[in-house]
Amino acid sequence: MVFFYGQSHKILKTYSDREFLCENCNSPQLDYIVRQKYFHVFWIPIAPVDKYAGIYCNNCGLTRKQIYSKNGAAYIKKTRTPIYMYSWLILIGLLIAYAVINSSLT
């Protein structure tokens, strides 16, 4: 039996920030990209692991996958984890609830 599992990430939200300048081209056109890392089985998310922020410059294309700044931390805190990131846990919980209810009725 083939069993596909692993870790992946999903872009949750992009925030435009004109407060800081790009370190490469000194342009104020930076976007903060908040990503959610999660475990998956058969490409269906089981549970979220970590949330992190990166930057992307719209002018020169400079990308930093992970950054540590006050703005990045604020955007991470502001962005909520979607409910579908818990889909396997919800499915298992529903199956357990169904089994308990079904066994109590018989």
Side-chain angles (χ1 to χ4, degrees):
M1 179 176 169
V2 179
F3 192 68
F4 295 104
Y5 65 95
Q7 262 188 4
S8 188
H9 72 271
K10 174 87 173 143
I11 294 176
L12 297 181
K13 194 149 187 176
T14 302
Y15 297 97
S16 295
D17 192 348
R18 305 298 179 238
E19 186 177 334
F20 293 103
L21 298 177
C22 174
E23 60 191 52
N24 193 30
C25 67
N26 292 325
S27 170
Q29 299 177 0
L30 291 177
D31 284 343
Y32 281 85
I33 301 168
V34 179
R35 291 181 171 92
Q36 178 77 54
K37 188 183 284 188
Y38 61 91
F39 286 116
H40 64 82
V41 174
F42 294 109
W43 300 282
I44 300 172
I46 294 177
V49 179
D50 190 20
K51 206 182 309 182
Y52 59 93
I55 58 168
Y56 175 76
C57 179
N58 291 313
N59 190 38
C60 70
L62 177 74
T63 303
R64 297 279 186 248
K65 295 283 184 185
Q66 285 186 304
I67 56 145
Y68 304 99
S69 69
K70 288 184 180 182
N71 281 4
Y75 290 134
I76 289 171
K77 200 173 203 180
K78 187 177 174 179
T79 307
R80 297 190 51 164
T81 301
I83 193 77
Y84 69 83
M85 288 287 183
Y86 301 96
S87 51
W88 270 96
L89 294 176
I90 293 169
L91 181 65
I92 290 170
L94 290 173
L95 287 173
I96 290 172
Y98 173 76
V100 168
I101 291 170
N102 196 24
S103 67
S104 67
L105 293 176
T106 57

